[in-house]
Every structure is written in structure tokens, then in C-alpha cells.
Amino acid sequence: MNNMIEQVNYDELIPNNVDLSSDKRLQRALEQWHPRFKEWWLDMGPEGFQNAEVYLRTAVGVDRKGWAKFGYVKMPDYRWGILLAPKVEGRTIPFGAHKGEPAWQEVPGEYRAMLRRLIVIQGDTEPASVEQQRHLGATAPSLYDMRNLFQVNVEEGRHLWAMVYLLQKYFGRDGREEAEMLLQRRSGNADKPRILGAFNEETPDWLSFFMFTFFTDRDGKMQLHSLAQSGFDPLSRSCRFMLTEEAHHMFVGESGVGRVIQRTCEAMIEAGISDPHDVEKIRALGVIDLPTIQRRVNFHFSVTLDLFGAEVSTNAANAFNAGLKGRFRESKLQDDHQLMDETYGVLHCVDGSFVEKQEPALTALNGRLSDDYIRDCQAGINRWNKIIARIGVDYQIKLPHKAFSRQVGVFAGVHVSPVGEVLTQQAWRAREPEWLASSADGEFIRSLMQPVSNPGEYASWIAPPREGIDGQPGSFEYVQLA
Ligand SMILES: [Fe+2]
Ligand SMILES: [Fe+2]
């Protein structure tokens, strides 16, 4: 077996700041894993574009200069690196039962299983989204958008590397097995699905991709923030660097949906249509009507909220107590960071009405993180609504009620409308097509998904971006098709 593995200078191939060449055991583990990662990428990564030259950003270091090198590269040759944010000397565990003790540089034995599980769950989402998005290159609305898709894809690949590094370096044999399993599971596969529900949903079209990067990558951002606080220092440092990349994914989602909204509103004004619900006329313009966009918001928001897990959860309390997973912006919060006697208000649905119950703050951590997430989403939605108002259309995109269409947590099994009315199952089902994208919506959106591949040109349903990537002009050839 060994002689089949090509000789690679890993220190050169893999940009890293973890002194890879001095750790022979880790290097051997990576030598086993790397060819299988590449097989996975060719098999499950962007379909049909593996030979295209893509203008990508590669992180070769974590400082200002090193983390964003732009240049043309074929995706299978992308240099997926292992980069950790710089070590903070004297860092202590910022929360939980071990608060104030020196941060762990090795896995704390008593929490080994819990820590491995957290890393595996985070790691599993990274290749899952690449799999979900693998067909989208063929219908890209421009070369600019295609390049952004592939940038997100290669970075999700790098995030997988980041988690695999932790598993292989710190968890021995079972870490290597988990690293292997991360390449075995497949999004949406009935026999070996990805671990979390939203990562087994399809991403069938570009509106879905933009919604996914806005809503679901934002869950990723919240999780990375919580793990960036971790008392296990290598995890904290990995996640802190991943957050710099995640900012681009947020940008792709927010600006992507924003440009769709902009184009729709502009087309309505040009055609003299003032009623946003005049769906047939609006669709005839080759743009996506705002009510359909709202239904997609409802879908992606509710599916993503389920990713936070049950609002009231002893697992979350245990991970916090253990010092492994903190809160969003833990270090900026003004409390004792142990939460032994604190409470947090969690909304419940009791006998058909909503009541806020004070729960122990420790067990309510998932509820709290999802509330932080909702605020973060709302800020982006407000910016979308400003676009609509500026162009002069009378419509507002709204986040649905957090109890709408939930499968996980305190609202699973109750039937709540987007504005928060509690309904019977029958009444809810009858109105579902108004609230969640119907198959007719999907067919219409797919009919618009005609690829546009001339530099500087954009599909009918999306406005051009305000500026290019890396300061490049609008007509720049972001992808050189093979
Ligand atoms: Fe990621
Ligand atoms: Fe992401």
C-alpha cells in the first residue's frame, strides 16, 4: 500500500503554520488521508468544472498578507492548508467549571469523547455543503457568481482539513477513523447521510444557494464563534481563522439575495408593476417575484434553526461546563461565565399560546445561541428591505416566527404560521403552499437557471455586483472554462 502513495513534500504542498514537517506521525496520517480527500473532491466536488482555471483566494498564512493570495488555479490543485490563528500567550479557559485555568494544549482526558463529537459534527457540515452545491456550476448566472461558488466550495474543503487536522493530531486511531468517515458519509444518502438534517437537503438552484449561504453558513458562523471560545486551544485557534473565511460566505449569501431582490424590483418599476403579488406579470419579466423569495426565506430559516438543537439541552450545558463550547462573543459578555445560578427566558408553546419560561441558563444555551442567530439574520434582512424601499416597491421581507415549521426542539409538533398564530395541523397544511416554496415555484426558478458564461454578463434574474472580487473590473474572466 505504502509504495502506491505518491511522494509529496507536504510542507510545501500544504500551507501550514503548525510545523507539519516536524510531526512525522501526523504527516503519515495526512499522507493516508490526502489521496482519499482528493478522490472525494473529484467524485463529489463541483461537477464539470474540475479542469477550469478559477480565480481563487488561497490562504497561505494567517497574517494580513498571507491569508488572501489571488490567482488562477484548477480546483483539484487547490492548496488546502492547515492554518491556526496565532497563539495567545497565557490564554486561560474563558468559561465553565475550569474558568481561569490555563487553556488546554492537549485533549483533556475526561472530556475526550465530548470534544471529539463536537469536532466531528462541525467537520461533517463542511464536505456536506460542497456535496449539496456540486451541480450548481452548470447554471451559474455569471462567471463572477461561479467563481464565488467555487471559492466557498474550496474553503469548505479547507474547513474539513482544519477539523481533520485536529482529529488526526490529537485523537490517535479513533481520530483517524473519524477522519475517514467524514469522507464516507454523503449528503442526502439514505444509507450514510450527513449527520445534521439541513445538510441532507438539496440545493437545487442558485436562489437556494444564496439562501443557504445566508442562513445556513450563518449557523456555521455562530457555531464557529462558540467553538472559537473553547478551552481546547487548538480548536479555538482553528475556528478563529475559519471565521475570517466564513465572512466571505456571509457576503456571498447576503449580496446574492440582495442582487436578486434588486433586479426584481428594478424590473417591476421599469414595467410599471406596483403590486408585488402580481406574480404572473412579474415572472413574465424573467425575474423572481418577492413572495417566492419570502417563501424561500421561510424554508431556509426554519430548517436552519433546527440545526441549533433543542433549545433546552443538557448536552449544551455539559459542553459549556466542560469549557469546550462557549457562547457567541463569550469574552464580551458581562457575567460570571459560569452561569450556575443564572436563568434565561425560553419561549414555549403551551396549550396553544406562547409563554416565556425562565430556564437554567446552562441548559438554555442552544436557545440563547439561536436567539443571537436570529438577531444576526434580522440585520441582513433589514438591509434587503432597504434595497426594496430605495427602488420604490411596497414590500418587506420578514423573518418567520421562530416556532414556524420546526422539527427539533420545543416547537416540534406544534403548527405555527409565519406570523406566529398557533393552528391545527389541518389548518396549517391547508396554508402550507402560501408559506413554503411549492413545486411550481421550484419549476419556475429552475426555468430561469440558464447559464451565462460571457465575462461581464449576468442572467436576467440577478443584478450585477457593485464591485468585482480583488478589485477586478466587471468584465474580468473569473473562470476560464476548460
Ligand atoms: Fe465552513
Ligand atoms: Fe461556510
Side-chain angles (χ1 to χ4, degrees):
M1 179 71 201
N2 258 329
N3 57 358
M4 288 172 63
I5 295 165
E6 56 183 312
Q7 286 299 306
V8 179
N9 183 342
Y10 273 79
D11 216 36
E12 274 176 21
L13 181 76
I14 304 174
N16 74 92
N17 64 353
V18 296
D19 203 8
L20 202 54
S21 56
S22 75
D23 188 338
K24 293 297 167 217
R25 199 178 60 87
L26 174 62
Q27 211 170 320
R28 265 198 307 279
L30 274 177
E31 279 165 2
Q32 305 262 330
W33 188 79
H34 176 243
R36 284 205 273 280
F37 168 82
K38 235 175 151 170
E39 267 169 46
W40 167 81
W41 179 270
L42 289 169
D43 196 27
M44 295 307 294
E47 191 182 54
F49 293 88
Q50 302 278 7
N51 283 316
E53 297 277 352
V54 187
Y55 192 69
L56 290 175
R57 171 178 87 181
T58 303
V60 296
V62 293
D63 60 348
R64 264 177 178 286
K65 273 196 198 149
W67 91 275
K69 292 270 185 230
F70 284 87
Y72 285 105
V73 58
K74 288 191 174 114
M75 285 183 279
D77 302 332
Y78 188 78
R79 295 171 67 214
W80 285 280
I82 299 171
L83 297 160
L84 273 56
K87 191 166 181 173
V88 176
E89 283 311 322
R91 180 170 182 262
T92 56
I93 298 166
F95 59 88
H98 301 278
K99 180 176 170 261
E101 297 173 18
W104 294 299
Q105 301 304 327
E106 295 295 333
V107 174
E110 55 186 315
Y111 304 131
R112 191 173 190 277
M114 204 192 309
L115 182 56
R116 191 184 62 207
R117 183 79 187 148
L118 285 172
I119 294 170
V120 165
I121 289 176
Q122 179 61 43
D124 194 65
T125 65
E126 314 289 359
S129 61
V130 176
E131 293 167 0
Q132 288 170 293
Q133 295 160 13
R134 63 186 298 255
H135 302 298
L136 291 173
T139 53
S142 71
L143 292 180
Y144 166 88
D145 290 291
M146 185 190 280
R147 176 260 165 221
N148 284 350
L149 164 71
F150 294 156
Q151 182 73 57
V152 170
N153 292 161
V154 293
E155 284 174 352
E156 300 305 6
R158 204 200 68 74
H159 293 174
L160 171 61
W161 276 79
M163 294 299 111
V164 162
Y165 161 74
L166 295 174
L167 290 168
Q168 291 185 333
K169 169 127 181 133
Y170 296 99
F171 291 88
R173 172 196 272 273
D174 42 332
R176 289 194 295 280
E177 281 167 10
E178 293 285 11
E180 188 57 36
M181 289 302 294
L182 287 168
L183 297 177
Q184 298 297 327
R185 285 184 286 270
R186 291 283 183 274
S187 176
N189 185 300
D191 299 327
K192 39 177 189 175
R194 292 293 173 183
I195 296 170
L196 299 173
F199 290 90
N200 289 299
E201 299 279 349
E202 280 179 34
T203 308
D205 57 62
W206 276 78
L207 182 58
S208 189
F209 168 65
F210 292 136
M211 291 287 177
F212 186 96
T213 41
F214 182 87
F215 285 107
T216 308
D217 279 71
R218 189 176 310 277
D219 160 64
K221 168 185 150 179
M222 305 306 286
Q223 303 299 336
L224 290 178
H225 265 285
S226 308
L227 295 172
Q229 302 285 340
S230 183
F232 180 53
D233 208 41
L235 176 60
S236 164
R237 293 172 59 201
S238 289
C239 291
R240 268 182 277 152
F241 184 65
M242 289 159 77
L243 279 166
T244 57
E245 293 163 318
E246 209 57 43
H248 176 69
H249 308 183
M250 301 294 99
F251 162 80
V252 169
E254 184 180 326
S255 65
V257 177
R259 288 161 54 216
V260 177
I261 289 173
Q262 180 190 339
R263 184 68 204 110
T264 299
C265 293
E266 286 169 351
M268 285 172 63
I269 297 290
E270 283 160 26
I273 301 170
S274 57
D275 179 5
H277 299 278
D278 203 344
V279 169
E280 255 176 65
K281 271 197 197 158
I282 294 168
R283 288 187 176 185
L285 303 171
V287 296
I288 304 170
D289 52 287
L290 299 173
T292 294
I293 294 173
Q294 175 68 62
R295 283 192 286 277
R296 284 289 179 91
V297 166
N298 295 347
F299 173 76
H300 286 271
F301 179 66
S302 55
V303 163
T304 304
L305 276 180
D306 280 346
L307 289 174
F308 287 84
E311 290 84 350
V312 181
S313 152
T314 50
N315 280 347
N318 291 340
F320 184 88
N321 257 334
L324 299 181
K325 183 178 176 186
R327 288 170 293 175
F328 183 54
R329 303 201 166 126
E330 180 75 45
S331 50
K332 302 227 166 71
L333 298 172
Q334 303 292 332
D335 55 27
D336 70 354
H337 303 280
Q338 291 184 313
L339 306 177
M340 285 308 187
D341 307 310
E342 307 282 322
T343 62
Y344 184 83
V346 175
L347 200 64
H348 292 259
C349 188
V350 182
D351 299 331
S353 48
F354 291 105
V355 278
E356 190 175 284
K357 283 196 216 166
Q358 290 300 315
E359 303 280 356
L362 276 173
T363 53
L365 283 166
N366 287 346
R368 180 183 183 126
L369 190 62
S370 63
D371 287 343
D372 290 331
Y373 166 78
I374 292 169
R375 272 189 289 277
D376 211 55
C377 288
Q378 186 63 56
I381 302 264
N382 293 347
R383 288 187 286 272
W384 291 342
N385 283 330
K386 279 200 186 124
I387 298 173
I388 302 175
R390 174 168 51 77
I391 300 173
V393 171
D394 184 18
Y395 193 88
Q396 288 208 319
I397 304 282
K398 294 195 174 79
L399 276 186
H401 192 279
K402 64 177 164 185
F404 171 71
S405 194
R406 299 292 304 280
Q407 312 294 322
V408 173
V410 292
F411 303 119
V414 292
H415 294 87
V416 177
S417 74
V419 293
E421 312 148 289
V422 184
L423 304 171
T424 64
Q425 180 173 11
Q426 206 181 12
W428 194 93
R429 286 270 171 247
R431 297 186 61 191
E432 185 181 354
E434 276 173 57
W435 300 327
L436 291 170
S438 64
S439 54
D441 287 346
E443 270 164 45
F444 168 68
I445 292 171
R446 271 191 293 285
S447 76
L448 293 182
M449 297 292 127
Q450 304 300 328
V452 174
S453 54
N454 286 332
E457 287 182 15
Y458 291 82
S460 66
W461 53 271
I462 189 165
R466 247 183 305 163
E467 49 191 45
I469 292 290
D470 189 33
Q472 297 294 350
S475 58
F476 188 71
E477 193 174 7
Y478 288 101
V479 182
Q480 293 173 344
L481 301 168

